């Protein structure tokens, strides 16, 4: 147990993103840094932590920060599929999260704690667990400043409309707010985090510094979803792309580079935050690493899949702006 490491005592490295930009806020529909300037998170999402915990370590994060220009990491903690809620050892996940958050803080990177619902489509299925989990992690990381809380990855399925998700959010957000009055909270939207345009009619009332997530996979999601995103923003809804890839929505299949280019232009134009799926060597085209890659940092061209090389170049480009 490493309970003794307390986040508040961990000093961010000098010149690191968090050292330079501090606590983030939502202003209108945009993210701003501590000095009030527009700011973008461009990061990498882990794959499911039950399968790929090994990438949560300092060498990996440092490499992504220094060589790819990544300023944030998303820790995808599945709730189902032998995850936090239906697996044997929830405390093991909390320890991985702890390692991830402490490491990110030390490296001065932002970090999302992602309650990764997926096959458990309805956030209410594990609402009690979510209340308990977010109550405890927000207490542990209270005031850290670099932690974002994503309370439901992708609500989906019949009857899981915005009102349904909203009632879950209205319950969970206050539990986090007791410990983290200012941290950014990310709320998933119906249809696998696509219905951001449904939020404006009735956004969560609970607090400021809430953003709503949109996820895209360029092979599946095209102009229609880009239009939803723009509509949501013009209706006043702050949107974060907390997960995307350039494959189809299965996470496999061919890359759709033309659609990816359109998304890329939109991200640049609207200055949106985005997180690439996923940091793993799984045999699927959205994985950033090839199955033969067994190193955890120093990734060379041959360690990367075509998606991995695209994401690396995109992250570098975002970082250069
Ligand atoms: C996929 C993984 C795949 C895994 C599957 C089910 O890439 O290896 O078998 O989940 O656990 C999402 C989800 C994300 C999916 C991804 C690709 O947030 O968990 O990962 N995707 O299907 N939303 C749209 C696509």
């Amino acid at each position: 147990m490493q309970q003794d490491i307390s986040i508040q005592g961990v000093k961010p490295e000098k010149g690191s993103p968090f050292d330079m930009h501090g606590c983030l806020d939502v202003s209108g529909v945009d993210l701003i840094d501590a000095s009030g300037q527009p700011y973008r998170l461009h990061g990498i999402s882990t794959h499911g932590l039950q399968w790929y915990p090994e990438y949560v370590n300092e060498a990996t994060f440092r490499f992504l920060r220094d060589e790819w220009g990544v300023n944030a990491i998303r820790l995808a903690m599945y709730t189902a599929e032998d995850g936090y809620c239906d697996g044997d050892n929830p405390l093991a996940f909390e320890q991985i999260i702890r390692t991830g958050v402490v490491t990110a803080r030390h490296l001065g990177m932002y970090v999302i704690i992602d309650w990764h619902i997926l096959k458990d489509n309805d956030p209410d299925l594990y609402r009690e667990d979510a209340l308990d989990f977010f109550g405890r992690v927000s207490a542990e990381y209270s005031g850290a400043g670099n932690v974002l809380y994503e309370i439901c990855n992708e609500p989906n399925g019949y009857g899981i409309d915005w009102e349904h998700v909203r009632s879950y959010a209205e319950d969970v957000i206050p539990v986090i707010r007791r410990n983290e009055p200012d941290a950014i909270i990310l709320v998933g939207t119906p249809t696998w985090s696509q219905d951001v345009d449904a939020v404006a009619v009735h956004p969560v009332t609970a607090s400021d510094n809430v953003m709503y997530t949109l996820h895209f996979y360029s092979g599946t999601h095209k102009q229609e979803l880009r239009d939803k995103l723009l509509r949501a923003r013009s209706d006043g809804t702050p949107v974060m792309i907390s997960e995307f890839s350039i494959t189809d929505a299965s996470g496999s299949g061919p890359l759709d580079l033309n659609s990816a280019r359109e998304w890329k232009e939109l991200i640049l134009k609207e200055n949106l935050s985005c997180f690439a799926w996923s940091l793993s060597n799984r045999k699927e085209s959205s994985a950033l690493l090839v199955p033969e890659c067994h190193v955890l940092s120093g990734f060379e061209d041959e360690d990367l899949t075509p998606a991995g090389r695209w994401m690396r170049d995109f992250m570098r480009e975002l970082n250069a702006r």
Side-chain angles (χ1 to χ4, degrees):
M1 301 293 340
Q2 293 180 13
Q3 258 309 21
D4 51 317
I5 310 175
S6 118
I7 186 81
Q8 296 79 1
V10 178
K11 238 187 151 30
E13 285 185 356
K14 274 253 162 305
S16 61
F18 182 63
D19 181 52
M20 307 284 282
H21 296 279
C23 296
L24 307 179
D25 280 300
V26 178
S27 168
V29 293
D30 297 312
L31 199 59
I32 57 170
D33 70 7
S35 60
Q37 296 303 307
Y39 192 64
R40 183 202 295 113
L41 295 177
H42 41 271
I44 303 290
S45 177
T46 69
H47 198 289
L49 295 178
Q50 72 271 52
W51 301 305
Y52 297 97
E54 63 270 30
Y55 297 102
V56 181
N57 73 83
E58 182 170 334
T60 304
F61 288 11
R62 184 183 291 282
F63 179 83
L64 294 175
R65 185 193 70 177
D66 294 347
E67 303 299 325
W68 292 20
V70 160
N71 60 12
I73 298 284
R74 176 179 187 245
L75 301 170
M77 190 185 77
Y78 274 62
T79 41
E81 299 183 66
D82 291 322
Y84 183 82
C85 301
D86 70 345
D88 304 329
N89 194 354
L91 289 181
F93 288 101
E94 292 188 16
Q95 186 54 44
I96 300 165
I97 297 276
R98 186 170 297 124
T99 301
V101 171
V102 170
T103 303
R105 164 97 180 175
H106 166 60
L107 295 173
M109 301 170 81
Y110 298 88
V111 61
I112 297 179
I113 300 176
D114 162 34
W115 185 257
H116 199 87
I117 70 163
L118 182 61
K119 293 192 175 161
D120 48 332
N121 59 312
D122 177 354
D124 268 353
L125 280 174
Y126 294 123
R127 188 194 283 228
E128 290 306 317
D129 300 77
L131 292 169
D132 174 62
F133 173 78
F134 283 111
R136 283 179 304 102
V137 291
S138 64
E140 183 170 349
Y141 307 129
S142 168
N146 66 322
V147 181
L148 293 80
Y149 299 88
E150 182 168 8
I151 64 172
C152 49
N153 168 52
E154 292 186 353
N156 66 84
Y158 183 74
I160 313 302
D161 58 11
W162 170 242
E163 273 309 304
H164 189 87
V165 177
R166 195 184 63 80
S167 87
Y168 165 83
E170 296 283 10
D171 232 23
V172 176
I173 291 174
V175 165
I176 299 174
R177 281 290 176 247
R178 278 205 281 280
N179 302 308
E180 286 275 57
D182 303 316
I184 308 278
I185 297 178
L186 306 173
V187 181
T189 54
T191 321
W192 296 276
S193 287
Q194 293 170 50
D195 296 347
V196 280
D197 56 334
V199 172
V201 180
H202 198 177
V204 297
T205 51
S207 70
D208 299 332
N209 282 354
V210 172
M211 298 183 92
Y212 301 87
T213 69
L214 177 139
H215 293 173
F216 75 83
Y217 282 70
S218 70
T220 306
H221 309 117
K222 309 206 167 168
Q223 196 56 45
E224 200 186 326
L225 189 56
R226 289 191 287 273
D227 289 342
K228 274 193 186 197
L229 192 160
L230 289 170
R231 200 154 58 237
R233 277 172 61 81
S234 71
D235 288 346
T237 302
V239 176
M240 184 177 286
I241 300 172
S242 59
E243 188 186 302
F244 77 100
S245 184
I246 57 175
T247 64
D248 63 41
S250 70
S252 295
L255 305 189
D256 189 332
L257 297 174
N258 286 329
S259 170
R261 195 172 317 116
E262 307 242 357
W263 279 105
K264 178 174 155 176
E265 277 161 23
L266 183 68
I267 287 168
L268 291 169
K269 184 159 166 288
E270 302 286 318
N271 199 37
L272 300 167
S273 294
C274 59
F275 289 77
W277 184 263
S278 77
L279 183 57
S280 78
N281 64 355
R282 192 165 184 112
K283 205 171 170 354
E284 60 184 10
S285 55
S286 58
L288 303 182
L289 306 170
V290 295
E292 299 74 31
C293 170
H294 295 292
V295 294
L296 298 178
S297 72
F299 309 125
E300 309 272 0
D301 262 22
E302 65 265 24
D303 295 316
L304 303 176
T305 60
R309 292 197 285 272
W310 193 95
M311 293 297 187
R312 175 198 60 194
D313 295 346
F314 186 38
M315 291 293 147
R316 286 178 174 166
E317 183 177 345
L318 289 169
N319 191 47
R321 294 205 168 218

